[in-house]
Amino acid sequence: HTFMQIDACPDNCLFTENGCYLIDFEGGETGHALLSGVYGHVRFPTCWCVFDIPQPIIQKMDDVYRAELSKGCFEAMDDTLFSHALVEASVYWMLWRNTFIPLPRLLDADRNVIAASDRQRHIMNMDVVANTTDEYSYLPHTGAVAREIARKMRERWPEQSNIPYYPAFR
C-alpha cells in the first residue's frame, strides 16, 4: 500500500523546466500501488479527456513505473507477482468504470465527453482487460468475459469506432 494521487490524468500534470509534477491530490488515498501504476495502461479511467495510446508507449510506461516502484517495493521485481498485480489492477478499473457508469445505463443513452463516448470507453476498457489477461496468462475467464462483453457492445453499437490516439501519437 502507498499514497496515491488517484487521478493521474495527463491534465493533472504540471510540466516545468525541472520536470513533470502531479497536481490535483484532493482524491488522494492509500491503496495498492498498481492502481496508479496501471493508469496509462487502462487509459486514464478517471480522466474526462480519454484517447488511446500506442502499445509501445504503454509498455514503456509500465516498465518505467515498475523500475521506480522496485526501489521501495521489492516484490515489484518478481515477474509473476508484478504481472498478476497489473492484471488485477486493470480488472479493478474495469469494475470501477462499470460502477461509475453502469452498463445498464449505456443501454438507454450514450454521452460523448471530449474525445470518446461512454460506450467507447467501456469497450476500450473491456478490450484492455481481455488483452492484459491474455498477455500475462492470468485470470483467463475474466478476460474471456470482458472480451465477450466488448463483442456484444460492438454488435449492439456498430457505430462505435475505436478511440483515436492522443494527438501527440497521431
Side-chain angles (χ1 to χ4, degrees), residues 21-79:
Y21 301 93
L22 284 175
I23 58 173
D24 194 9
F25 282 81
E26 79 268 7
E29 60 185 53
T30 58
H32 195 286
L34 264 292
L35 292 180
S36 286
V38 299
Y39 235 66
H41 191 90
V42 297
R43 314 316 192 269
F44 309 107
T46 62
C47 188
W48 56 272
C49 187
V50 174
F51 289 92
D52 201 359
I53 303 169
Q55 191 58 43
I57 300 296
I58 292 169
Q59 186 60 56
K60 186 171 184 168
M61 291 167 70
D62 290 348
D63 293 345
V64 168
Y65 188 86
R66 183 179 183 186
E68 287 299 312
L69 183 62
S70 295
K71 293 176 181 177
C73 177
F74 302 114
E75 294 88 349
M77 292 185 274
D78 182 296
D79 289 341

Side-chain angles (χ1 to χ4, degrees), residues 100-117:
F100 184 70
I101 304 169
L103 287 172
R105 190 179 102 194
L106 295 179
L107 296 173
D108 295 328
D110 195 13
R111 175 183 65 138
N112 193 37
V113 182
I114 307 298
S117 73

Side-chain angles (χ1 to χ4, degrees), residues 14-21:
L14 177 63
F15 295 94
T16 72
E17 59 191 38
N18 298 320
C20 176
Y21 301 93

Side-chain angles (χ1 to χ4, degrees), residues 110-146:
D110 195 13
R111 175 183 65 138
N112 193 37
V113 182
I114 307 298
S117 73
D118 288 334
R119 289 173 180 169
Q120 287 175 306
R121 292 166 194 248
H122 272 278
I123 292 169
M124 182 169 64
N125 202 237
M126 297 294 167
D127 287 340
V128 165
V129 166
N131 294 336
T132 304
T133 59
D134 285 351
E135 179 180 352
Y136 294 105
S137 301
Y138 183 59
L139 301 179
H141 300 294
T142 303
V145 169

